[in-house]
């Protein structure tokens, strides 16, 4: 089992460019999550998907969109990147009825 | 407005001694509390959790204590080992959504 995988590991964008962060899990989990981690802020929830076919906003959704492509994959899209979106992005998944979330290794994004 | 706070950004402890990490929260509707451990360039990994109806949960060297009246929880690591050097995040759960603290960096000295 690879667990939760994220691509790319690193990315540098110019202001206004768009990109999609990919996340996949092979644990047959129902729920998936996107977080961002900023210095001194901990992890903040951007969007989540409780099950295939549903998505909901988290604490900081502005400037992002998501797609739950199937049960395995949950992507995060930045339509017009801004320097304030420079952060480390983590994807996570959770098994139904289980509290803990399993995290991917993260994507470090820099917007110049 | 941060609902989960870890007021100590860092903690240094000697190998073999106890590490105590603290966490405060503001929302009384949280139903579970979790601790995650994170090494550099890796994602957080789940360590231990506690239900809001309990006051203590123990798993090997790790014990979490919850004081609901004070809205405070703590993680005790005994004895501390070099491999425990990492960032520790406190998280609180409501409807399976997690709110995280800013983290405490633990350094275990030989």
């Amino acid at each position: 089992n690879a667990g939760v995988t994220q691509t790319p590991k690193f990315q540098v964008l110019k202001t206004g460019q768009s990109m999609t962060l990919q996340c996949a899990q092979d644990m047959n989990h129902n729920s998936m999550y996107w977080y961002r981690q900023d210095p001194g802020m901990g992890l903040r929830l951007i969007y989540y998907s409780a099950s295939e076919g549903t998505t909901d906003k988290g604490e900081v959704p502005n400037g992002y969109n998501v797609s739950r492509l199937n049960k395995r994959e949950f992507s995060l899209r930045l339509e017009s990147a801004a320097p304030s979106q420079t952060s480390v992005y983590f994807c996570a998944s959770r098994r139904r009825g289980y509290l803990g979330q399993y995290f991917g290794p993260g994507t470090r994004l820099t917007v110049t | 407005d941060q609902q989960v706070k870890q007021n100590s950004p860092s903690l240094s402890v000697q190998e073999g001694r106890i590490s105590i990490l603290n966490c405060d929260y503001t929302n009384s509707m949280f139903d579970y509390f979790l601790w995650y451990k994170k090494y550099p360039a890796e994602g957080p990994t789940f360590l231990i959790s506690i239900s809001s109806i309990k006051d203590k949960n123990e798993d090997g060297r790790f014990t979490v204590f919850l004081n609901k009246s004070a809205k405070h929880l703590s993680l005790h690591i005994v004895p501390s080992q070099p491999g425990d050097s990492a960032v520790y995040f406190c998280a609180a759960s409501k409807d399976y959504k997690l709110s995280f603290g800013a983290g405490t960096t633990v350094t275990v000295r030989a």
Side-chain angles (χ1 to χ4, degrees):
Chain A
N1 275 0
V4 180
T5 56
Q6 293 183 237
T7 55
K9 284 188 168 37
F10 301 94
Q11 184 71 48
V12 179
L13 291 178
K14 289 186 173 14
T15 297
Q17 287 185 317
S18 62
M19 81 159 296
T20 299
L21 281 64
Q22 307 286 354
C23 173
Q25 52 91 10
D26 61 1
M27 297 175 284
N28 202 35
H29 288 175
N30 288 299
S31 301
M32 297 185 74
Y33 306 80
W34 275 106
Y35 294 88
R36 59 178 288 174
Q37 184 195 4
D38 301 297
M41 297 288 291
L43 284 80
R44 291 182 292 169
L45 182 64
I46 305 171
Y47 269 94
Y48 67 101
S49 170
S51 61
E52 189 179 353
T54 69
T55 61
D56 284 288
K57 294 178 181 179
E59 184 186 351
V60 289
N62 291 347
Y64 305 95
N65 284 303
V66 290
S67 295
R68 183 74 184 265
L69 305 167
N70 47 55
K71 192 170 186 180
R72 289 187 65 247
E73 298 170 290
F74 189 38
S75 62
L76 179 72
R77 182 158 178 85
L78 287 71
E79 289 291 351
S80 178
S84 61
Q85 294 178 306
T86 293
S87 188
V88 181
Y89 291 84
F90 289 100
C91 177
S93 68
R94 183 181 63 80
R95 188 174 79 214
R96 180 179 290 166
Y98 181 70
L99 184 63
Q101 295 177 16
Y102 292 79
F103 284 82
T107 294
R108 185 174 293 274
L109 175 68
T110 302
V111 183
T112 61
Chain B
D1 184 31
Q2 259 188 310
Q3 299 186 75
V4 179
K5 292 184 181 176
Q6 294 176 255
N7 291 319
S8 298
S10 62
L11 171 70
S12 180
V13 63
Q14 195 160 14
E15 184 178 357
R17 306 296 288 263
I18 185 171
S19 295
I20 300 177
L21 291 78
N22 293 303
C23 178
D24 296 295
Y25 62 95
T26 57
N27 189 343
S28 57
M29 300 302 292
F30 288 132
D31 49 12
Y32 282 90
F33 302 90
L34 303 85
W35 286 93
Y36 278 82
K37 178 179 179 178
K38 184 183 179 304
Y39 292 119
E42 294 183 10
T45 55
F46 170 72
L47 198 55
I48 190 169
S49 66
I50 187 168
S51 164
S52 61
I53 63 172
K54 305 274 190 188
D55 55 18
K56 178 182 174 181
N57 187 28
E58 194 171 351
D59 184 2
R61 296 186 298 115
F62 303 92
T63 303
V64 57
F65 296 93
L66 176 62
N67 182 335
K68 276 191 74 174
S69 61
K71 293 191 176 69
H72 177 85
L73 64 153
S74 62
L75 174 69
H76 292 208
I77 307 173
V78 185
S80 299
Q81 298 174 353
D84 296 332
S85 294
V87 178
Y88 289 80
F89 291 100
C90 170
S93 175
K94 182 176 179 300
D95 300 327
Y96 293 105
K97 288 185 286 184
L98 299 180
S99 297
F100 284 84
T104 296
T105 300
V106 172
T107 303
V108 179
R109 309 185 311 271

